[in-house]
Amino acid sequence: MKRKNVLALVLAAVMAGSMIGCSSGSKPESGSQETSSPESVPQASKEAEASSASKEDEKPVELITAWWGNQTRNDRFQKMLDLYAKEHGIRIETQMSVWDDYLVSIQAAAASSDMPDLMMLQGSYYQEYVDSGLLTDLTPYVESGALDTSSISDSILSATSIDGKLYGICAGINSISCIYNKTLLDTNNITVKDNMTLDEFAALCKEVYEKTGYKTYFNYESQLMEYMVRANDVVLFGKDKIGGSSAKDIADLFLLIEQGYQEGWLMDYSLLGSVSSVEEHPMVYGTSPEMSSWCAFYNSNQCTALQNAAPEGTELALTTAPSKDVKKSAYLREAMSLVVPAKTQGQNQDAVVELLNWWINSKEANEIILGEPGVPANGEVASQITSQVDDTQAKIFTYVTEVVTPVASVANPPAGNGMTEAENLLMELAQYVEYGQMTGMEAAEKFFTEGNEIMAAAAKR
């Protein structure tokens, strides 16, 4: 799966007018929905209330929210926002897309100062957005009490803080995981254990292939690499460099891909094309063993969408991603965060923060979301909804709280500005190894050299 060139796509998106924010008064674009209350917003004065004409002219607060994700997330978020809009007498336009399209659209919207009022962002992109002045510091709202973070742990808040300022609120806690076809493995008497080393995982991949014909598909290579190199005491994307002192420190994923190619258990990516959403993953849509993967590497919250997309009768389960040292590699992270852009169409930040506060702290909201983005950051809310989640969500909650939490270490700080470009390089090099066109060490050497050049240049911009 080849990552698109983000900068080129941003320019194309700007030229095409394909921005996630739409101008005031325009109709929502394809993939957008508008939520509104049937009742008008209460008038600001008795005189206005007395005037039916003024009441008709009064427009309700209008907010634009945006996120990326799967259909399960879209449905739950939409239902939750429908409820909020009805109860608060406002209109909420919702815009959603798959990750690659979302990133391009947000970049384009940022370039034109036409961003949504409330949107999702991953922590790895915080530094560049903050450096560009694109995010609102939420600290004053916390200090005033408008945004309640008292039930969110400091370690989670620190993941969205830069230089002592809070720029986002975690929408859910998760951890990278290996989600696998439990039905397939149980049927073939194949055992999966937590905290596998790289050698143990490679042996498992080979066993699965030999017994079932199913192969292994690696997705989200950058996150998986980040996880693996933590075992070597390396932060993959620093502020101005690639972590480690040599290519050997960041080679583990490339070497594992090379091993899979040589031993035959790595999936032939040329058969698949692009996989842009979990519903397209070969673990759930493969039509034959050679077109199917027995596992998927995603954040734990994605298990719900994968299970929903899996063939009837297929049960999925979660285990830790492989690493030389899982205790060093494992960490809890904000699955994604909700941020308030500094410049939006509405500029009604008080109303946006009110929605954000309800989203994070309301049992009512989270009874609808039911942990789809990850375990709720608000510990009290998480406890309140645990008994209401379905079997898949219960597995996710158990995985996060009982498997990962006991061995988790501190998450990496936000990546430097060149992370996106360096990640594109990583994905390209991974493909060369996947097709046998480059050895794992050759790819690691090239990534270490050119990745450092990218990060250093970006830090000077």
Side-chain angles (χ1 to χ4, degrees):
M1 178 172 60
K2 190 171 183 178
R3 183 66 59 89
K4 304 168 185 174
N5 186 305
V6 174
L7 293 178
L9 284 172
V10 167
L11 294 176
V14 172
M15 293 175 65
S18 159
M19 288 174 272
I20 201 161
C22 51
S23 61
S24 179
S26 64
K27 295 181 180 180
E29 297 178 12
S30 175
S32 300
Q33 299 183 43
E34 186 173 284
T35 297
S36 63
S37 166
E39 302 173 357
S40 59
V41 175
Q43 304 301 306
S45 66
K46 291 182 179 180
E47 290 80 5
E49 290 176 355
S51 170
S52 60
S54 296
K55 186 178 290 186
E56 291 176 359
D57 292 339
E58 183 74 16
K59 292 184 178 180
V61 173
E62 296 184 3
L63 301 179
I64 300 173
T65 62
W67 66 83
W68 72 89
N70 53 69
Q71 193 57 48
T72 301
R73 179 177 302 166
N74 294 344
D75 291 344
R76 294 186 187 183
F77 281 11
Q78 187 67 53
K79 183 179 180 181
M80 179 265 294
L81 291 170
D82 283 346
L83 175 63
Y84 185 87
K86 181 178 180 179
E87 291 184 346
H88 291 76
I90 68 173
R91 292 178 180 173
I92 303 176
E93 179 186 320
T94 58
Q95 300 176 338
M96 67 287 287
S97 58
V98 297
W99 167 247
D100 281 348
D101 293 341
Y102 179 85
L103 182 59
V104 173
S105 298
I106 289 297
Q107 294 272 16
S112 62
S113 299
D114 195 24
M115 301 180 78
D117 299 294
L118 182 65
M119 72 180 206
M120 279 190 168
L121 192 66
Q122 276 192 339
S124 55
Y125 293 89
Y126 267 66
Q127 191 71 52
E128 62 179 284
Y129 275 76
V130 170
D131 289 348
S132 300
L134 295 173
L135 301 183
T136 297
D137 175 15
L138 298 173
T139 308
Y141 290 101
V142 175
E143 293 173 345
S144 72
L147 183 58
D148 182 9
T149 62
S150 60
S151 295
I152 303 176
S153 71
D154 290 340
S155 62
I156 295 300
L157 292 173
S158 66
T160 54
S161 300
I162 294 178
D163 297 330
K165 297 179 179 181
L166 181 67
Y167 288 100
I169 299 293
C170 175
I173 302 169
N174 66 17
S175 180
I176 186 173
S177 62
C178 175
I179 303 171
Y180 64 94
N181 186 332
K182 186 175 186 298
T183 300
L184 172 72
L185 270 57
D186 285 352
T187 300
N188 289 275
N189 297 314
I190 300 173
T191 302
V192 174
K193 69 173 188 176
D194 296 328
N195 305 324
M196 283 183 286
T197 65
L198 295 176
D199 289 341
E200 289 171 335
F201 178 77
L204 176 60
C205 292
K206 186 175 182 180
E207 180 185 6
V208 172
Y209 175 57
E210 291 175 346
K211 289 184 177 180
T212 71
Y214 280 62
K215 295 191 174 184
T216 302
Y217 180 91
F218 289 111
N219 53 296
Y220 282 15
E221 280 92 349
S222 61
Q223 188 179 359
L224 189 56
M225 175 181 276
E226 178 188 42
Y227 177 89
M228 288 181 178
V229 302
R230 283 167 55 90
N232 301 325
D233 298 314
V234 171
V235 173
L236 184 59
F237 299 113
K239 284 192 174 183
D240 59 358
K241 66 177 182 178
I242 297 297
S245 58
S246 70
K248 184 178 179 181
D249 293 330
I250 50 115
D252 288 342
L253 178 61
F254 289 130
L255 294 174
L256 184 62
I257 293 172
E258 180 184 15
Q259 183 177 354
Y261 171 77
Q262 292 176 343
E263 295 180 351
W265 49 259
L266 185 70
M267 180 165 282
D268 184 348
Y269 284 28
S270 65
L271 299 175
L272 300 173
S274 176
V275 176
S276 59
S277 68
V278 294
E279 290 86 359
E280 297 175 352
H281 196 282
M283 186 175 70
V284 296
Y285 85 92
T287 56
S288 60
E290 64 269 17
M291 293 287 288
S292 301
S293 175
W294 68 274
C295 67
F297 291 96
Y298 281 110
N299 287 321
S300 52
N301 63 297
Q302 296 286 48
C303 188
T304 296
L306 283 164
Q307 182 65 72
N308 289 342
E312 185 176 355
T314 299
E315 180 187 357
L316 305 184
L318 305 90
T319 188
T320 47
S323 168
K324 288 178 179 177
D325 188 334
V326 173
K327 287 187 177 181
K328 287 185 177 181
S329 286
Y331 63 95
L332 296 174
R333 55 164 288 167
E334 36 86 32
M336 66 282 296
S337 294
L338 293 164
V339 300
V340 181
K343 295 180 180 179
T344 66
Q345 295 178 54
Q347 289 295 297
N348 194 337
Q349 291 193 343
D350 288 347
V352 177
V353 172
E354 184 178 356
L355 169 58
L356 173 59
N357 187 66
W358 180 82
W359 187 323
I360 297 300
N361 296 312
S362 165
K363 178 185 176 184
E364 190 177 28
N366 284 278
E367 283 178 333
I368 297 173
I369 299 172
L370 285 176
E372 192 286 328
V375 178
N378 182 315
E380 293 182 2
V381 170
S383 297
Q384 291 169 347
I385 70 169
T386 297
S387 62
Q388 302 176 42
V389 300
D390 60 25
D391 290 344
T392 302
Q393 286 299 112
K395 290 179 184 178
I396 296 170
F397 276 45
T398 299
Y399 172 74
V400 169
T401 59
E402 297 182 14
V403 177
V404 180
T405 299
V407 298
S409 50
V410 179
N412 289 349
N417 287 343
M419 178 262 188
T420 300
E421 189 178 351
E423 187 177 42
N424 289 338
L425 172 64
L426 189 160
M427 297 290 285
E428 181 180 354
L429 294 173
Q431 277 199 321
Y432 287 138
V433 180
E434 288 156 3
Y435 290 121
Q437 298 171 349
M438 184 178 285
T439 68
M441 275 310 303
E442 287 173 344
E445 293 282 359
K446 191 173 181 65
F447 181 66
F448 186 76
T449 300
E450 297 186 11
N452 269 304
E453 292 172 357
I454 290 169
M455 298 297 291
K460 296 177 181 178
R461 292 200 290 264

